[in-house]
Amino acid sequence: MLLLRLLQKPDRAPRFGRVLDDEPGVVELLDGDPLLGGKPTGERLAFTPQQWQDDPDGSEVELLVPVVPQKIIGVGSNYRNHTKEMGKPIPSEPLLFLKPPSALLSPGRPIARPQGFERCDYEGELAVVIGRRCHRQPVSTAMNYVLGYTLCNDVTVRDLQKRDGQFTRAKGFDSFCPLGPVITTDFDMGRAAVRSHLNGKLVQDGATDELIFSIEELVSFISHVMTLEPGDVISTGTPAGVGNLQPGDVIELSADGIGRLKNPVIAAPALPTLSNRS
Ligand code: MG
């Protein structure tokens, strides 16, 4: 089953929906958040996230991020080949960081690239969506707390990641967390692949058998640091092939069973300067 969120015009009320495996072109609307027990209403819409992303403005429906998390936990250096390309050692335990929920960006919407930086990189990642509260769980039970999987683009200003020495600003700009287009509840994460296409050219092609820390290990490890709440997102790290985005580019992530997460890139307004404080 696939889960998604959308806005219906003209009242623009966000609705949750589901797509059943035997009817891939039809969204069945729910009466509330499936994480809080939302049930099917019987209302049905002919809609596919893929067609919508190719023409987001020409529709009476607008696709939204499929979940609104309290927190988005990123994992750095979790693919061997990406860790190598960044010139870093293989970590002995997961490297965690947070992205603010204000960075979330719906499918089809533009990533606003801050001006004045050399590298503003895409990072195509598979993301875990938590289904119920998870606190201090061992690896053996961690998967019981996973609702499903989606795609996350962990957009990063590489200059700032190096200059600041931590990740808050580098990974926290508005629009730096494209998420979606759907959550799939049926997904074999052990054999999954995530790909990124920049302007139609394949630039990342990673398989989860390259993960340094598995999904179970990440969920368990994080749950001993912070309680995971329903809807929280863990972005599991990016494979090799990260690269710079420029205004005018289109970046598209994809995974079998989840679909494509497509976002164009625009230039953000210039940043003010806070220097000359002497
Ligand atoms: Mg990342």
Side-chain angles (χ1 to χ4, degrees), residues 32-268:
D33 187 340
L35 285 164
L36 302 172
K39 296 279 183 298
T41 59
E43 292 174 80
R44 293 152 69 86
L45 283 178
F47 178 82
T48 74
Q50 308 314 334
Q51 285 171 356
W52 184 86
Q53 289 181 92
D54 291 334
D55 183 19
D57 296 317
S59 168
E60 290 303 300
V61 172
E62 187 176 328
L63 191 62
L64 302 174
V65 289
V67 66
V68 183
Q70 287 186 20
K71 54 189 174 292
I72 303 147
I73 302 121
V75 182
S77 303
N78 200 28
Y79 279 81
R80 289 176 196 283
N81 54 8
H82 172 62
T83 303
K84 208 169 165 185
E85 82 177 338
M86 301 306 287
K88 292 180 184 164
I90 300 290
S92 56
E93 56 184 5
L95 172 64
L96 305 182
F97 60 90
L98 292 170
K99 285 175 89 81
S102 48
L104 284 168
L105 186 71
S106 292
R109 295 303 172 202
I111 296 165
R113 188 199 195 284
Q115 296 183 31
F117 300 109
E118 230 166 75
R119 287 280 296 263
C120 176
D121 285 4
Y122 55 84
E123 292 189 0
E125 307 192 2
L126 285 161
V128 178
V129 181
I130 296 295
R132 56 195 182 101
R133 178 174 285 191
C134 179
H135 175 67
R136 291 184 174 269
Q137 289 302 310
V139 172
S140 59
T141 58
M143 294 310 281
N144 298 340
Y145 297 83
V146 172
L147 171 71
Y149 299 91
T150 189
L151 289 163
C152 177
N153 192 343
D154 176 23
V155 181
T156 303
V157 175
R158 203 65 71 196
D159 319 28
L160 288 177
Q161 190 181 16
K162 289 178 186 150
R163 194 198 302 174
D164 288 356
Q166 47 100 330
F167 298 173
T168 304
R169 184 164 61 142
K171 291 174 177 282
F173 283 92
D174 287 356
S175 82
F176 270 27
C177 192
L179 192 77
V182 298
I183 299 166
T184 176
T185 59
D186 313 300
F187 191 61
D188 184 357
M189 187 70 185
R191 301 168 59 179
V194 57
R195 295 182 192 88
S196 303
H197 286 82
L198 179 62
N199 304 322
K201 184 183 165 215
L202 181 67
V203 285
Q204 288 190 288
D205 188 4
T208 49
D209 56 8
E210 298 162 25
L211 281 175
I212 296 169
F213 298 104
S214 70
I215 303 307
E216 297 94 311
E217 288 172 328
L218 291 175
V219 171
S220 172
F221 182 86
I222 295 167
S223 82
H224 284 81
V225 178
M226 57 187 93
T227 301
L228 291 163
E229 299 290 350
D232 281 352
V233 168
I234 302 170
S235 203
T236 61
T238 199
V242 299
N244 191 24
L245 295 168
Q246 293 288 1
D249 286 345
V250 175
I251 181 72
E252 184 177 288
L253 278 44
S254 61
D256 292 341
I258 301 175
R260 296 185 283 120
L261 172 64
K262 180 175 174 180
N263 298 92
V265 182
I266 60 172

